[in-house]
Amino acid sequence: MDIRRFSLIDLALGEIDKAIKVLSAPARSAREVPAAPEGAALQAAQRTESVRLMRVNHSGEVAAQALYQGQALTSRDSAVSAAMRLAATEEIDHLAWCEQRLRELRGRTSVLNPLWYAGSFAIGALAGTLGRSTGLGFVAETERQVESHLRGHLARLGEADPRSRAILEQMTHEEMQHGAQAASLGGQELPFPVGMAMRLTARLMTLGSYWL
Ligand SMILES: [Fe+2]
Ligand SMILES: [Fe+2]
C-alpha cells in the first residue's frame, strides 16, 4: 500500500475543502465590521461604484487566502508555514467584512473568484518552494501591493460611502502591519518573475472583478 500517495490525496482534499470554504461559504469574522456613521443614502451611481470597488477588494482577499494557503502547503520551513496559516486566519476578517458590505449594498461577489483562487494558489505554492527569506519577502510584497491598491480605492470612494471607507481604512492599517512584520522577520526582495506574476495577476483581477 502506498502511504505517500494517500497523504498526497489527503493534502489535496484538504486544500479543495479550504478553497470551497473561501469560495462558497459565507466568511465568518472574529471581529465586528469596523464601525462607521451611516451617512446619507447613496445615489444609484455611487452605490454601483461602491459595489464594484468592494467586489474587487473581496476578490483581493480571496486571492490572499489562496496565496497564503499555497505557500503554507509547499514551504519546508515550519515557521513560515505557521506564519502563513496565521495570516490566512487573520485575513478571513477582511474577507467577511467585504462580503458583508457587498450584501448591504445589494451587490454580488465576482464570478471570477475561482479563477483568482487557482492562480493565486499556484503563485503562492511556487513562492513556498523558494526558501524562508523569499517566502517572507513574498508576504511583504503581497501586503505592499494590497496596501497601495486599497489607498487607490479609498481615493476613488471619497467621503460618499463611510461604511465601505471604514472597512478599507482598517484593512489598509492591518495590511501595513502584516507587511512590516514579514519584512522585519527577514523577508527579502522577490525574484523578478514572481513579483511580475503577482503584479499581472493583481491587474487582471482588478479589471475582471470590477466588471464581472
Ligand atoms: Fe487583507
Ligand atoms: Fe494582510
Side-chain angles (χ1 to χ4, degrees), residues 14-212:
E15 293 308 323
I16 290 168
D17 182 55
K18 284 176 204 149
I20 288 171
K21 279 188 181 136
V22 169
L23 292 168
S24 62
R28 282 211 220 139
S29 63
R31 295 171 293 163
E32 289 292 314
V33 175
E38 189 50 60
L42 295 182
Q43 302 288 324
Q46 178 62 53
R47 190 186 70 82
T48 302
E49 180 67 355
S50 288
V51 165
R52 287 172 175 164
L53 295 179
M54 292 309 282
R55 184 159 58 228
V56 171
N57 293 315
H58 178 266
S59 290
E61 295 298 330
V62 167
Q65 289 294 318
L67 285 167
Y68 289 128
Q69 298 294 358
Q71 192 171 180
L73 181 70
T74 58
S75 175
R76 293 198 185 138
D77 186 318
S78 58
V80 172
S81 274
M84 295 302 117
R85 295 207 197 279
L86 180 65
T89 306
E90 288 178 353
E91 301 277 2
I92 284 178
D93 282 352
H94 297 179
L95 185 71
W97 295 343
C98 291
E99 204 176 287
Q100 180 170 334
R101 185 61 188 143
L102 275 171
R103 271 199 303 275
E104 288 171 2
L105 291 164
R106 300 187 307 282
R108 57 165 179 81
T109 56
S110 173
V111 296
L112 299 174
N113 282 344
L115 190 65
W116 310 142
Y117 192 98
S120 302
F121 189 90
I123 295 170
L126 169 66
T129 62
L130 301 176
R132 179 189 172 93
S133 56
T134 305
L136 289 165
F138 174 82
V139 177
E141 175 64 17
T142 302
E143 300 289 358
R144 194 192 61 72
Q145 287 188 19
V146 175
E147 180 203 335
S148 112
H149 159 90
L150 286 170
R151 287 191 191 285
H153 275 195
L154 280 166
R156 284 168 76 175
L157 266 184
E159 302 299 327
D161 181 354
R163 285 179 69 77
S164 299
R165 190 173 184 86
I167 292 170
L168 298 190
E169 281 173 348
Q170 184 66 31
M171 282 167 54
T172 305
H173 177 66
E174 291 180 9
E175 311 304 12
M176 282 172 67
Q177 286 180 333
H178 296 159
Q181 192 187 24
S184 73
L185 286 170
Q188 286 186 354
E189 196 151 326
L190 293 176
F192 183 75
V194 178
M196 199 58 205
M198 287 168 70
R199 277 190 290 278
L200 185 65
T201 305
R203 200 167 291 180
L204 281 173
M205 191 170 69
T206 302
L207 190 65
S209 292
Y210 185 84
W211 295 109
L212 299 171

